Amino acid sequence: MNDAPSSRDLSGSMTVGQAYATVVSLINAGNLSEAQRICEDIKRVRPAQPDVHNLLGGIAFKMGNPEEAAIHFSRVVELQGDNHEARMNLAKMLRDLQRWEEAARQFDHLANVLDNNAGVLMDCARAHFKSGHYKEALTTYERALPVHPSADIVQTGMAEIFLKMGEIKKAEELYGAVLRRTPDFEPALINLAVVRDIQGRIDDALALQERAISVNPDNADAHVHHASLLLARERFAEGWAEYIWRFHQTQTTTLHDRFGLPHWDGEPLQGRHVLIWTEQGPGDEILISSMVPDVLAQGARCTLVSTERLTPLFKRSFPAANIISREQVLEGSAKLIEADFQASFSHLGCRLRPQIAAFPTNRGYLKSDPRLTNELRARYQAGTGRPLIGISWHSANLEAESEKSITLESWANLLRILGPRFVSLQYGNHTQEIAAAIATTGTEIVVDPTVDPLKDMDRFAAQVAAMDLVVSVSNTTVHVAGALGRPVWTLVPSSVGRVWYWFLDRTDSPWYPSMRLFRQDRNAGWNPILSEVAEALNQWL
């Protein structure tokens, strides 16, 4: 390579070699900004030198910028393909950024050149699993099994894949094998409880979660799974208390440690100021917001922190509350919020939803834009006066997408029902699927490209409010419809996609009085439910 580190072409008196030595000293002394500045100076004159990109990657990582670190490590690998250390760092950055497809490619390469490296094989299998490459993940776990020091860890990973693939029996057998060998292995206890839940053996599932907690009382994952089981069984007092453990999960995204305020524990609220922050996906945010009217009714001032795309809808729906975007809080651009208490989903639920009787019976608490709602309704009806039925068939839930989604092709018999106009409320790009369904059924499906719930929930709310009925899988659409008080039929899966807040066996939803639940039989697919919905739709019409 021509750009040898000893060349004298840096500004100032240092050679490139001296600059490298200075950078290392600065890194060791913790002066990362100055080290980065000198590295950038080196890069300007030596842009194709792997060493400088390697240093910049390490500095970026130490400064908490994994995206930038990944760029530099990727450049090292591009320039020096046999630099396994840099490729390992790149793979780990991609893993931590949850860029699973890219991480899997890098770990695959390392797994082939670093034969029998158990850690690489496990990371590789996990990346394949997270990117939906289940067969590749299983193959990699099988390679790891004879070289990994813990067969329990490897087989638990394999069982998780079988669980995701719906091969419940194989998952059950592997978890059983692990627990026969190591009766107190926590991951297997927790995941076998999930299997028992899917099988409808709720008491067994609860017992397994309680055993996992007894083995390790500080296992946050066990507590959160336990909470979901308790809440699903309507054991609210215990469930809400356990649900607080999500604050301690490693991947938590809650704002529990952001404000330094005491949590509301049922104190009188008259004249007090309560800060409520939402969490997780938009469905959960809408559920949490259902308790804002309760707080206001107790005479409190209320500030609600939600994601940006929900703030316009919340501002219209709760004019007496102060609405702030979560993004502003995380960026630090929101003013310091002075309040008496903060409240999470758990704290609100514990005090305001301690039992089913405490759920309000009002049909809707969110308010759509009335002018836009009427405009969209008129446009969709196109002068026909026919009822509008909004449909949504896909969930983008990262953990249960396949369990909660139904192919639009399966809706064919329902779409052939004469009378209504069907309107797609489905978020994301499903153009080909919709075109195929129209060609198969001969039924028009109205698609409005001006509505994108992934960007503008306020306009989406107006679209949903324009419907006479919404029929959807368990996704954001049903929460919006229920919160608006529109008639909505929700198709609830029987497996891991069944979320605790639909409870067990109910055909109604205490959260949303306008909702009817159609529950999948755990021994059948979606076709029986879709036939039931079609029959109910004929009666409704």
Side-chain angles (χ1 to χ4, degrees):
M1 189 177 293
N2 293 328
D3 50 358
S6 59
S7 301
R8 288 184 176 273
D9 44 14
L10 280 178
S11 58
S13 59
M14 280 196 297
T15 65
V16 173
Q18 289 168 338
Y20 272 119
T22 301
V23 167
V24 172
S25 296
L26 289 167
I27 291 173
N28 291 335
N31 192 345
L32 300 178
S33 297
E34 182 63 13
Q36 186 180 50
R37 186 192 67 76
I38 295 175
C39 278
E40 289 292 347
D41 198 18
I42 299 172
K43 187 172 69 127
R44 275 190 290 273
V45 298
R46 293 290 184 265
Q49 194 168 80
D51 291 344
V52 69
H53 289 284
N54 210 22
L55 283 169
L56 281 167
I59 292 168
F61 173 69
K62 287 176 180 290
M63 295 177 76
N65 192 340
E67 292 92 347
E68 185 179 334
I71 291 170
H72 288 295
F73 289 133
S74 180
R75 181 65 173 144
V76 177
V77 170
E78 180 185 333
L79 294 167
Q80 200 173 44
D82 60 350
N83 190 327
H84 303 324
E85 181 181 358
R87 192 181 294 273
M88 182 76 78
N89 287 332
L90 171 60
K92 290 178 178 179
M93 293 302 102
L94 295 170
R95 177 198 64 193
D96 294 347
L97 290 167
Q98 298 185 20
R99 289 160 56 179
W100 297 112
E101 291 271 2
E102 299 167 82
R105 285 196 294 271
Q106 299 302 330
F107 280 125
D108 253 337
H109 181 95
L110 289 165
N112 290 327
V113 298
L114 304 176
D115 196 27
N116 293 334
N117 186 308
V120 170
L121 289 168
M122 293 297 287
D123 273 328
C124 184
R126 191 68 180 167
H128 278 307
F129 171 67
K130 285 292 190 177
S131 55
H133 302 152
Y134 299 140
K135 289 183 179 179
E136 291 87 345
L138 278 172
T139 300
T140 310
Y141 274 131
E142 286 166 359
R143 287 177 61 189
L145 191 57
V147 297
H148 197 280
S150 171
D152 295 337
I153 292 174
V154 180
Q155 289 186 313
T156 298
M158 295 172 71
E160 188 178 4
I161 296 172
F162 285 125
L163 184 58
K164 189 72 174 177
M165 294 171 68
E167 297 189 37
I168 306 302
K169 189 67 176 175
K170 289 183 179 180
E172 183 180 24
E173 289 171 355
L174 276 174
Y175 289 135
V178 171
L179 291 173
R180 282 192 295 275
R181 187 167 55 235
T182 313
D184 290 338
F185 192 67
E186 296 163 54
L189 288 169
I190 293 169
N191 289 330
L192 182 58
V194 173
V195 171
R196 296 291 180 249
D197 183 12
I198 292 170
Q199 294 170 329
R201 297 166 58 178
I202 305 298
D203 288 338
D204 291 342
L206 279 167
L208 283 163
Q209 296 293 9
E210 287 161 5
R211 183 170 148 200
I213 291 168
S214 70
V215 169
N216 180 5
D218 295 325
N219 188 319
D221 289 339
H223 283 283
V224 172
H225 280 283
H226 190 220
S228 296
L229 290 169
L230 292 168
L231 289 168
R233 293 200 105 191
E234 302 176 23
R235 290 168 57 178
F236 293 109
E238 303 160 89
W240 290 125
E242 282 282 79
Y243 201 45
I244 292 175
W245 274 88
R246 68 197 181 285
F247 296 172
H248 305 290
Q249 289 181 296
T250 54
Q251 298 295 323
T252 186
T253 57
T254 67
L255 299 176
H256 67 279
D257 58 353
R258 196 80 186 187
F259 301 105
L261 297 169
H263 285 93
W264 180 52
D265 196 28
E267 294 89 346
L269 292 181
Q270 182 67 42
R272 313 299 287 278
H273 186 179
V274 181
L275 169 66
I276 299 171
W277 41 265
T278 62
E279 55 187 286
Q280 302 187 51
D284 285 66
E285 291 191 84
I286 291 169
L287 280 181
I288 296 166
S289 73
S290 70
M291 292 182 274
V292 169
D294 299 68
V295 172
L296 294 171
Q298 293 192 30
R301 288 185 297 132
C302 179
T303 293
L304 177 66
V305 178
S306 72
T307 50
E308 181 69 44
R309 60 178 170 149
L310 275 166
T311 54
L313 180 59
F314 284 162
K315 284 179 179 179
R316 180 185 305 102
S317 304
F318 310 121
N322 178 34
I323 311 298
I324 297 176
S325 80
R326 179 188 179 94
E327 288 81 352
Q328 285 179 299
V329 171
L330 293 176
E331 292 167 2
S333 58
K335 291 182 180 179
L336 182 64
I337 302 168
E338 296 182 358
D340 297 293
F341 307 106
Q342 63 173 312
S344 70
F345 199 0
S346 301
H347 296 91
L348 292 172
C350 182
R351 297 299 171 179
L352 302 175
R353 302 292 183 264
Q355 55 197 19
I356 289 293
F359 284 74
T361 57
N362 59 302
R363 293 174 65 87
Y365 50 90
L366 295 187
K367 310 296 180 187
S368 67
D369 180 336
R371 180 198 59 79
L372 183 56
T373 297
N374 292 333
E375 176 190 313
L376 294 177
R377 181 171 177 81
R379 177 144 58 87
Y380 299 154
Q381 284 190 315
T384 64
R386 290 157 61 187
L388 300 177
I389 297 181
I391 59 171
S392 180
W393 57 93
H394 182 81
S395 169
N397 182 284
L398 294 175
E399 298 300 323
E401 177 180 350
S402 59
E403 291 85 358
K404 296 175 71 174
S405 300
I406 311 173
T407 62
L408 186 55
E409 179 185 13
S410 302
W411 293 58
N413 289 336
L414 189 145
L415 293 172
R416 290 191 179 99
I417 293 174
L418 299 177
R421 296 200 87 197
F422 291 97
V423 179
S424 171
L425 304 179
Q426 183 57 57
Y427 50 84
N429 186 354
H430 295 268
T431 304
Q432 292 184 340
E433 197 175 4
I434 292 170
I438 293 172
T440 299
T441 63
T443 300
E444 179 188 13
I445 300 175
V446 178
V447 179
D448 187 346
T450 72
V451 179
D452 184 356
L454 298 177
K455 296 179 180 177
D456 187 348
M457 288 292 289
D458 198 35
R459 191 172 181 84
F460 180 60
Q463 183 185 44
V464 172
M467 300 298 109
D468 293 290
L469 172 68
V470 172
V471 183
S472 173
V473 298
S474 171
N475 61 14
T476 300
T477 303
V478 300
H479 291 281
V480 173
L484 290 166
R486 303 307 299 153
V488 51
W489 295 353
T490 301
L491 312 184
V492 181
S494 63
S495 63
V496 291
R498 188 202 69 240
V499 191
W500 64 264
Y501 46 65
W502 300 138
F503 305 119
L504 301 175
D505 303 322
R506 302 184 72 99
T507 57
D508 67 327
S509 169
W511 298 100
Y512 307 120
S514 65
M515 182 178 289
R516 177 178 174 184
L517 302 178
F518 290 80
R519 293 183 177 274
Q520 182 188 41
D521 188 295
R522 64 177 52 88
N523 298 314
W526 284 110
N527 287 338
I529 288 294
L530 290 169
S531 296
E532 185 183 345
V533 171
E535 182 180 345
L537 183 55
N538 275 313
Q539 295 175 358
W540 182 85
L541 289 168

